[in-house]
Amino acid sequence: MQIPKMIVFDLDDTLAPSKSELPQEMANLLTQLLRQTAVAVISGGDIRQFKTQLLAPLTQALGSKQRLLRNLHLMPTCGTRYERYADGSWQTLYNETLTEGEKRRAIRSLQECARELQLWESATWGDIIEDRGSQITFSALGQAAPSEAKAAWDPTGAKKNALAVAVQKQLPELAVRSGGSTSVDITRAGIDKAYGIKKLTEHNWITPQQMLFIGDRLDPAGNDYPVKALDTVPCVAVKNWRECANLLHEMLTAIGD
């Protein structure tokens, strides 16, 4: 098997359960994969979430092999930010930060539309709206809601899709898209996971065809879909981190790791 020059992953419900730490099995698999090729992770979460959810367990799994972090590419907030490991620390290559005015308009619109649609919950696990610098994120049940509650709140995606449509009408100058299981993300127009893919190709001198993207929301309403819509990057859909782990086991076995 010829391994892609770069494998790009979604984070929540692809590498790990939503907002949860990378399982030990997945951390071990990524350690093996980093010895073979470049790995990128692109997600709606901010850099703090990447550090606690991904980097902490992965760094522990790497042990004395911290040098392999040079093969890891981090793209928080749907690719609006790009982090690379060099000289023993993470360095920011770019950060598409929203202006204060854009943030205020985004937050106000989310609050108004969520209440009009009766989607503003009173009992939540943490803040409903989060300023991630380059992205404003609405999480209907709060940032720390358990996976089971998220899955039950909007199993078809109809609620968050309706909210995204309503907010987009108020904010035509920004990009509003359905995010994770209960979230809606707002960024600058033209910035989504496809934007992140294009940045990865530019910075690493590779073509989209030399990549492989793996995510759980490649359906037309999902936040991984912009990558599929490029029609140049090979994509594989998984239902959860366990299915992704099985795929990586097969891949690593095929290349003789």
Side-chain angles (χ1 to χ4, degrees):
M1 175 183 179
Q2 184 175 3
I3 194 166
K5 287 193 174 181
M6 179 179 287
I7 302 179
V8 187
F9 295 91
D10 170 51
L11 179 52
D12 280 341
D13 295 319
T14 299
L15 290 178
S18 181
K19 299 296 189 297
S20 301
E21 277 196 2
L22 206 65
Q24 184 64 52
E25 179 182 356
M26 184 61 78
N28 293 338
L29 286 167
L30 287 181
T31 296
Q32 296 176 58
L33 196 61
L34 285 167
R35 295 207 301 263
Q36 302 289 341
T37 191
V39 172
V41 180
I42 181 168
S43 170
D46 63 10
I47 189 61
R48 293 170 298 176
Q49 182 179 331
F50 270 64
K51 288 179 178 178
T52 57
Q53 188 175 358
L54 173 69
L55 287 180
L58 179 57
T59 299
Q60 185 175 5
L62 285 169
S64 62
K65 303 181 183 68
Q66 300 297 305
R67 66 185 184 282
L68 291 176
L69 290 172
R70 292 176 296 182
N71 291 338
L72 183 61
H73 306 250
L74 304 182
M75 304 202 89
T77 49
C78 292
T80 59
R81 180 169 175 169
Y82 186 9
E83 299 283 326
R84 288 294 309 276
Y85 189 80
D87 300 323
S89 65
W90 289 94
Q91 301 181 11
T92 304
L93 273 67
Y94 69 79
N95 189 5
E96 305 283 358
T97 305
L98 292 166
T99 67
E100 292 305 312
E102 289 171 331
K103 292 178 182 179
R104 284 194 298 272
R105 292 194 298 277
I107 292 171
R108 183 170 59 247
S109 180
L110 284 168
Q111 291 172 334
E112 291 176 356
C113 292
R115 288 191 167 97
E116 287 175 4
L117 293 170
Q118 298 184 335
L119 300 179
W120 191 270
E121 302 290 343
S122 56
T124 63
W125 291 263
D127 295 334
I128 293 177
I129 297 178
E130 183 182 8
D131 178 357
R132 297 179 176 176
S134 53
Q135 177 176 292
I136 299 297
T137 295
F138 170 93
S139 296
L141 300 179
Q143 293 298 318
S147 299
E148 299 79 10
K150 289 182 178 182
W153 185 79
D154 188 20
T156 67
K159 292 180 180 179
K160 59 190 179 71
N161 292 346
L163 178 60
V165 169
V167 173
Q168 184 67 84
K169 289 180 181 178
Q170 292 190 1
L171 303 173
E173 76 283 8
L174 297 175
V176 184
R177 63 186 62 84
S178 179
S181 55
T182 64
S183 65
V184 170
D185 299 324
I186 300 177
T187 63
R188 290 246 173 86
I191 296 180
D192 53 22
K193 290 189 179 182
Y195 175 88
I197 291 291
K198 292 174 183 176
K199 286 294 187 179
L200 284 170
T201 62
E202 292 170 6
H203 282 271
N204 295 284
W205 299 94
I206 58 176
T207 67
Q209 294 80 5
Q210 293 172 318
M211 293 178 161
L212 174 66
F213 180 84
I214 302 174
D216 72 306
R217 291 301 312 277
L218 285 160
D219 56 285
N223 64 349
D224 296 328
Y225 184 74
V227 180
K228 184 177 181 179
L230 287 171
D231 204 28
T232 54
V233 180
C235 295
V236 175
V238 295
K239 295 179 181 178
N240 49 50
W241 80 268
R242 168 54 61 191
E243 191 169 303
C244 183
N246 291 339
L247 175 65
L248 293 184
H249 274 297
E250 294 174 4
M251 186 181 299
L252 288 165
T253 299
I255 61 178
D257 185 66

